[in-house]
Amino acid sequence: MQPSDHADLVSAVPAAEVALRHTGENVVIVAGGEFDALTSPTLQETVHRALAEKPTVLVLDLTGAVFFSSVAIGVLVDAVLTAGEHTAVRLVVARPIRRTLQMLGMDHYFDYYDTTQDALTIRPP
């Protein structure tokens, strides 16, 4: 392989990014990219790390997610079940992911918000 050929290679591993930040007693996780069986464990580890801090609210901002598999949906359900009554888990998701969750009957697990700021300040319906 010539050195110039190397630049044409494309990774078979989907790209996903997960960042955690604190806002007072709350935690926000911003996740973007593709979440499947290979990348969802990173999201799950970050969620568990955040929940171990027992925040009042955990916001999962998934507006940057372009693919969200059933494994990733399982991470969201696990977040709610692990949080229990101590931590409110709130989702900020783009319409396609919200529709998928609604079609799967997941509405009883999640409160949806349009922005991270809304998720941090607006009381759930």
Side-chain angles (χ1 to χ4, degrees), residues 46-83:
T46 306
V47 167
H48 282 189
R49 189 169 30 136
L51 289 173
E53 298 176 18
K54 300 199 182 301
T56 302
V57 174
L58 171 61
V59 176
L60 293 164
D61 183 340
L62 307 173
T63 54
V66 295
F67 178 75
F68 218 71
S69 72
S70 59
V71 175
I73 292 170
V75 170
L76 300 182
V77 173
D78 178 63
V80 172
L81 297 176
T82 302

Side-chain angles (χ1 to χ4, degrees), residues 80-101:
V80 172
L81 297 176
T82 302
E85 293 183 17
H86 180 74
T87 301
V89 177
R90 299 178 177 176
L91 299 183
V92 180
V93 292
R95 188 136 186 80
I97 294 174
R98 185 183 297 199
R99 283 192 63 205
T100 300
L101 294 170

Side-chain angles (χ1 to χ4, degrees), residues 5-119:
D5 294 339
H6 183 45
D8 296 331
L9 295 176
V10 176
S11 173
V13 178
E17 296 179 3
V18 179
L20 182 145
R21 68 180 167 93
H22 295 85
T23 60
E25 296 178 0
N26 305 316
V27 175
V28 176
I29 295 174
V30 179
E34 299 181 13
F35 291 91
D36 59 12
L38 293 175
T39 56
S40 292
T42 301
L43 179 60
Q44 185 164 32
E45 290 168 14
T46 306
V47 167
H48 282 189
R49 189 169 30 136
L51 289 173
E53 298 176 18
K54 300 199 182 301
T56 302
V57 174
L58 171 61
V59 176
L60 293 164
D61 183 340
L62 307 173
T63 54
V66 295
F67 178 75
F68 218 71
S69 72
S70 59
V71 175
I73 292 170
V75 170
L76 300 182
V77 173
D78 178 63
V80 172
L81 297 176
T82 302
E85 293 183 17
H86 180 74
T87 301
V89 177
R90 299 178 177 176
L91 299 183
V92 180
V93 292
R95 188 136 186 80
I97 294 174
R98 185 183 297 199
R99 283 192 63 205
T100 300
L101 294 170
Q102 290 171 331
M103 288 174 23
L104 291 171
M106 299 286 182
D107 284 351
H108 65 281
Y109 284 110
F110 309 114
D111 292 319
Y112 304 107
Y113 295 84
D114 293 325
T115 67
T116 297
Q117 188 59 39
D118 288 349

